[in-house]
Amino acid sequence: MQSSTRAFSLVELLVVIGIIAILISVLLPALSGVRRQGDAIKCSSNLRQITLGWVMYANAHKGTSVPGRMPNLGAANNVYGVGNGDAWRPRWFVTLGQQSGIYAYTKPSPLAADDNTKAVDNAVFHCPAEPDRVNNRNFTYGYNFQFLGNTRNKLGTATGVWNPINFPVRISRISAVGTVLAADAIGTAAGKPRDQRKGYRNDGSADLFALGNHAWSLDPPRLTANSDYCDDNNRAAEHRSAPEERHKNRANVAFADGHVEALTLKELGYIVLPDGTVTANGAGATNKMFSGNGTDKDPPAIN
């Protein structure tokens, strides 16, 4: 009796393989888009939790907004409690842990030597779109430190005398609606043409062209000759910071009232040149969404 079993011919097999390849090519972009959307949603959730920590800090400190970094009061006085230990001059997101219980480090370090090299452990402070950016200096989220709390000393101040540029800042004087608190940040690479930017440095080292360099501090759109810059060792227009449009050409931005929006740099008031450079004082740049009162104020002066 003749068997009815029929094998695939080579042509039929090639057709099947071709159809599978076509289906994969169609599905992969869709799956990638779903993953990117998931990253954006998780990032938004992170920023909402961070904003809650900001409010909790202010409530516990007589309404004072957390500074971008705790003040430099001299080596003997630069260790601060962060809730689960002590840290050397903690940056804003580390300081928030004391009240919120959202600890940036599993084991904070009080040593100055660990200041710029320590990695952030808590996933709340990791943007899933850039999971490798975990260094606490070259951070993933930048803080509106110039308007919400800048403890750096004004230029010309005598050694040993603390005269902060803009601190304390009371949240009662801030319009929570419409005031940027923090955002996805690119750091000093913002002031460079897109094709001159370098890869991220996770060791905390300073490379002004590297993505994420000094990105814990977020400069507002319009800077002046008398204003601070994100990196106080390199105060210049070409070394300014800005948000990073890492979620479908938008940056996730947390506002002081607790909501998070995905916005373009243009929508935030920045001026971006055709080569990707974010200018420091271009015509049309406005600080309305950063100033705290909805007006285009200059950043606080450094002297």
Side-chain angles (χ1 to χ4, degrees):
M1 183 176 178
Q2 187 175 11
S3 172
S4 60
T5 302
R6 178 176 178 273
F8 284 108
S9 68
L10 178 60
V11 172
E12 290 171 328
L13 186 59
L14 291 174
V15 169
V16 171
I17 292 173
I19 292 172
I20 292 173
I22 291 171
L23 289 173
I24 291 174
S25 67
V26 170
L27 289 174
L28 278 179
L31 293 173
S32 178
V34 170
R35 182 184 60 79
R36 288 195 299 270
Q37 182 64 22
D39 287 347
I41 292 171
K42 180 62 171 64
C43 175
S44 295
S45 176
N46 289 347
L47 286 168
R48 290 188 187 93
Q49 292 185 67
I50 290 170
T51 304
L52 179 60
W54 177 77
V55 173
M56 294 174 71
Y57 176 91
N59 288 341
H61 290 82
K62 300 180 180 179
T64 300
S65 172
V66 68
R69 193 171 189 191
M70 298 305 284
N72 184 355
L73 302 178
N77 300 298
N78 280 345
V79 176
Y80 297 83
V82 293
N84 64 337
D86 295 332
W88 178 271
R89 291 196 62 217
R91 294 173 172 89
W92 64 279
F93 57 94
V94 181
T95 304
L96 295 181
Q98 187 173 34
Q99 276 68 48
S100 68
I102 307 173
Y103 303 127
Y105 305 130
T106 303
K107 293 182 179 180
S109 172
L111 303 178
D114 295 333
D115 177 28
N116 291 331
T117 60
K118 197 163 179 60
V120 177
D121 302 309
N122 196 322
V124 169
F125 301 110
H126 300 169
C127 176
E130 295 293 343
D132 295 331
R133 298 190 192 181
V134 297
N135 178 267
N136 86 99
R137 176 188 184 273
N138 301 339
F139 192 50
T140 186
Y141 297 129
Y143 182 57
N144 180 16
F145 79 109
Q146 296 220 39
F147 287 106
L148 297 184
N150 187 355
T151 63
R152 292 170 178 167
N153 263 344
K154 291 187 176 180
L155 295 181
T157 301
T159 302
V161 177
W162 182 45
N163 185 11
I165 294 171
N166 184 31
F167 187 80
V169 175
R170 307 294 181 187
I171 66 170
S172 60
R173 303 184 66 179
I174 297 169
S175 174
V177 178
T179 297
V180 170
L181 177 73
D184 293 318
I186 194 172
T188 57
K192 317 298 188 298
R194 195 177 294 109
D195 62 3
Q196 293 183 24
R197 296 170 184 169
K198 301 178 183 177
Y200 178 71
R201 299 287 296 271
N202 199 25
D203 58 1
S205 58
D207 184 337
L208 295 168
F209 287 77
L211 297 172
N213 180 67
H214 221 281
W216 68 265
S217 49
L218 179 65
D219 285 326
R222 188 175 60 79
L223 300 166
T224 70
N226 199 32
S227 74
D228 202 0
Y229 281 76
C230 73
D231 185 348
D232 53 335
N233 291 317
N234 295 281
R235 289 186 171 115
E238 63 269 26
H239 304 319
R240 58 132 334 120
S241 69
E244 183 176 24
E245 297 171 327
R246 64 174 72 129
H247 300 290
K248 293 186 176 180
N249 298 317
R250 282 174 168 74
N252 275 341
V253 182
F255 289 82
D257 65 353
H259 84 280
V260 176
E261 290 186 52
L263 299 169
T264 65
L265 289 174
K266 181 178 179 180
E267 290 170 331
L268 286 164
Y270 291 87
I271 302 300
V272 184
L273 301 181
D275 66 1
T277 300
V278 182
T279 64
N281 50 15
T286 175
N287 291 339
K288 289 182 178 180
M289 297 176 75
F290 288 76
S291 66
N293 65 3
T295 66
D296 182 27
K297 287 171 54 178
D298 287 348
I302 60 177
N303 54 24

